[in-house]
Every structure is written in structure tokens, then in C-alpha cells.
Amino acid sequence: CIRDSGTDYYTKDSTVFVAKNGSVVSTDVEDFDTAAYRQDDLQSYVDKSIDDYNKKNDGSVKLKKLTVEKKKASLTMSYASTDEYSDFNGTRLFSGTIAEALAAGYDFKTDFAAIDDGKAKKCESSEFMDENGYKVVVYEGSSNLHVKGKILYASVDKVKLVDDKTAVSYTHLTLPTIL
């Protein structure tokens, strides 16, 4: 279940939301042992991590929400850009045009599938490389990735399509999409 209307980002699984303008909201959902840890300590750790990062990097990372319910901690944070998300989390995330992705060193030398009506069909990257209107999201992490547009193609290695806007990445995901 993903709801991303307005500023409410609810999900039962860890999810990275990439907006059209390149800003990012991430919701991390993890087990949280309330017998061993306190929510106040987690809150202090998160606040300090954000403050330290923002001071050191002139950043704009923000805490949107932190809750602990039913032995699950849910942390939702916002980032001004995919670069800021990558710097803060140590996980590569890129969003841009195909030309920008190529200039940044991404080579698209992997197996892809065209996504049509929820079905994946193997294809070559040459099918989308010349499309000027497409945006690309590259994510090297293991969680859900949700885009505002429609996923048109996806790398196939360790990736599962959830719906036309969401894919699960187990290690690396490249999504040519219309945002």
C-alpha cells in the first residue's frame, strides 16, 4: 500500500519516492525492539544525524515523521535532490535524462525489459536510448522505488515490478520512465 498524495507518504515497506523535480522522500520501515531501545533515543540520533549533515554540507535534509508502532519504526525524510539523498545515505540514487545519465557515467549495459500493461518483455536498451522525453532513475539499494511517472522499462537483474509506478530493487535498479 503506497499513498503519496500531497505530503503524506505512507507505506508498509521501505520505499524511496522520486519526484519529477528530482527531490526525494524516503520512508524506512524497520523492526524496532522496544524492550532494548527507546523511541526517544532513536529520535535524538536521527535529529543529530540530520543536523550534523545539514551544517557540514549546507544541506536541506528534513525529518518528516518518525513513529514506532507494533515493534516497527517508520522514518520518513525529505531531500532536495537525489545527490543529497545519496550523500546522506551512502546509497547511489540518480534521476535525470538519458543524456544526463550517460554524461554521469551510466552505460545501460545490462538486460532490460519493456513494461506494458504490467507485463515485462525482454528488450535492448537501444529501444529507449534515443527518447528525449524519458527520464531515468538509477538506484543502487534494496527497497521499493516509487516514481511519479509510469515505469516504461526496468533493468531485470534482481528487480520486481510492483505496479506501473513502483519497483522493488534487491541491489541495483535502472528505470527509464516518464516522470
Side-chain angles (χ1 to χ4, degrees), residues 131-145:
E131 294 293 334
N132 291 330
Y134 289 178
K135 293 272 191 144
V136 177
V137 177
V138 179
Y139 176 60
E140 293 180 5
S142 52
S143 73
N144 290 350
L145 182 69

Side-chain angles (χ1 to χ4, degrees), residues 9-56:
Y9 293 85
Y10 163 76
T11 178
K12 65 179 183 164
D13 299 310
S14 294
T15 303
V16 176
F17 299 84
V18 180
K20 288 181 183 183
N21 66 0
S23 64
V24 177
V25 173
S26 69
T27 298
D28 294 302
V29 180
E30 301 289 337
D31 291 332
F32 189 81
D33 183 355
T34 54
Y37 303 102
R38 294 182 4 181
Q39 182 174 348
D40 291 345
D41 293 337
L42 178 60
Q43 181 76 51
S44 295
Y45 172 78
V46 169
D47 289 341
K48 182 176 178 353
S49 297
I50 292 170
D51 288 343
D52 290 350
Y53 177 86
N54 285 339
K55 286 176 187 170
K56 182 179 175 186

Side-chain angles (χ1 to χ4, degrees), residues 22-26 60-62 77-81 84-85 88-89:
S23 64
V24 177
V25 173
S26 69
S60 59
V61 175
K62 292 181 178 66
M77 297 175 55
S78 65
Y79 308 84
S81 67
E84 189 171 71
Y85 173 90
F88 186 85
N89 292 286

Side-chain angles (χ1 to χ4, degrees), residues 101-128:
L102 290 168
Y106 297 102
D107 61 20
F108 299 91
K109 292 180 182 172
T110 189
D111 292 328
F112 283 92
I115 310 300
D116 187 23
D117 219 10
K119 294 182 176 35
K121 180 181 174 190
K122 188 173 176 153
C123 71
E124 299 295 323
S125 61
S126 60
E127 285 190 30
F128 58 80

Side-chain angles (χ1 to χ4, degrees), residues 161-177:
L161 195 66
V162 175
D163 58 40
D164 67 345
K165 294 178 183 246
T166 309
V168 178
S169 169
Y170 299 101
T171 57
H172 180 89
L173 173 64
T174 303
L175 294 174
T177 182

